[in-house]
Amino acid sequence: NVKKYFMNYTIPLMLTLFRLVFPFFFSLMLYYLAPLNSFIINALLAVLFIAAGFTDYLDGHLARKWHQETELGRVLDPLADKVFIAGPLIALAALNKIYFYWPVLFLSRELSMSGLRESSVQHGFTVPVSWWGKWKTTVQYSYIFFAIGAPWPWAVCAWLERGALVGALALSYVSAYFYTQTFLHSLHQQSVLARDIHEV
């Protein structure tokens, strides 16, 4: 029984669980080390964040390649994505590296989409991940990378940071709009199908 229990925890699932736990420890490191204002430390933290973020791609890729997709993985993966973003954003706000309302805007969107996905499951369908959502995540990671490493010794990084911030916010709400449209369309189709079946 013990062997069977541990065999259920595949490498893709372990990567997802890592992404759930990582933000807590990383946020503590960021909060206590960033005030040292050391370029080397900030750069290392930024690289560590991006390296850990790569597991977002790796867990899904390996799960599909090795045919190890599980229901638990499907549930935990979007949750891990949100926790992974929330931790550094809150730490950056606590360090006054970002105004508090930016994390509020980002996290409000994430919570809204979590509610939408939960509602879709309860109605018997799912809202697939779109390219808008994937680009949103990529640009969010880019913004947090530049924000953690600030102040960089190159002026262009400040512009990249601001551009990534605006781009991430825009993509967050554009993708939320399309997810909502997909949800409403699927809900409408389901109601039409249920009506046709009832009429038959």
Side-chain angles (χ1 to χ4, degrees), residues 64-136:
R64 289 186 294 271
K65 182 178 180 180
W66 295 342
H67 306 289
Q68 294 180 342
E69 295 173 284
T70 64
E71 191 60 36
L72 180 59
R74 279 189 284 270
V75 171
L76 290 182
D77 186 65
L79 177 62
D81 293 343
K82 290 166 179 52
V83 172
F84 189 81
I85 289 292
L89 283 176
I90 292 171
L92 288 169
L95 291 167
N96 293 319
K97 284 199 168 193
I98 181 176
Y99 289 115
F100 76 92
Y101 51 77
W102 291 107
V104 170
L105 290 171
F106 281 121
L107 299 181
S108 295
R109 181 269 183 198
E110 298 299 336
L111 291 173
S112 298
M113 291 302 98
S114 292
L116 183 142
R117 289 186 181 280
E118 180 63 28
S119 180
S120 70
V121 170
Q122 291 178 358
H123 283 89
F125 61 88
T126 58
V127 178
V129 176
S130 70
W131 281 104
W132 288 104
K134 291 179 180 179
W135 276 108
K136 179 268 299 182

Side-chain angles (χ1 to χ4, degrees), residues 18-183:
F18 165 77
R19 208 162 67 257
L20 267 173
V21 176
F22 173 82
F24 173 75
F25 298 100
F26 181 76
S27 297
L28 288 177
M29 292 170 58
L30 182 60
Y31 183 78
Y32 287 107
L33 293 178
L36 298 176
N37 288 321
S38 167
F39 167 67
I40 293 177
I41 291 176
N42 289 355
L44 288 174
L45 287 172
V47 170
L48 178 60
F49 171 77
I50 288 297
F54 184 65
T55 60
D56 184 17
Y57 161 78
L58 199 58
D59 59 0
H61 174 73
L62 293 179
R64 289 186 294 271
K65 182 178 180 180
W66 295 342
H67 306 289
Q68 294 180 342
E69 295 173 284
T70 64
E71 191 60 36
L72 180 59
R74 279 189 284 270
V75 171
L76 290 182
D77 186 65
L79 177 62
D81 293 343
K82 290 166 179 52
V83 172
F84 189 81
I85 289 292
L89 283 176
I90 292 171
L92 288 169
L95 291 167
N96 293 319
K97 284 199 168 193
I98 181 176
Y99 289 115
F100 76 92
Y101 51 77
W102 291 107
V104 170
L105 290 171
F106 281 121
L107 299 181
S108 295
R109 181 269 183 198
E110 298 299 336
L111 291 173
S112 298
M113 291 302 98
S114 292
L116 183 142
R117 289 186 181 280
E118 180 63 28
S119 180
S120 70
V121 170
Q122 291 178 358
H123 283 89
F125 61 88
T126 58
V127 178
V129 176
S130 70
W131 281 104
W132 288 104
K134 291 179 180 179
W135 276 108
K136 179 268 299 182
T137 300
T138 300
V139 179
Q140 271 186 336
Y141 283 10
S142 300
Y143 164 68
I144 293 174
F145 171 81
F146 286 115
I148 290 173
W152 296 91
W154 310 287
V156 67
C157 288
W159 288 102
L160 289 173
E161 179 185 341
R162 296 187 190 101
L165 176 58
V166 173
L169 187 65
L171 287 169
S172 291
Y173 283 90
V174 168
S175 61
Y177 168 78
F178 285 112
Y179 282 137
T180 303
Q181 289 292 99
T182 301
F183 171 80

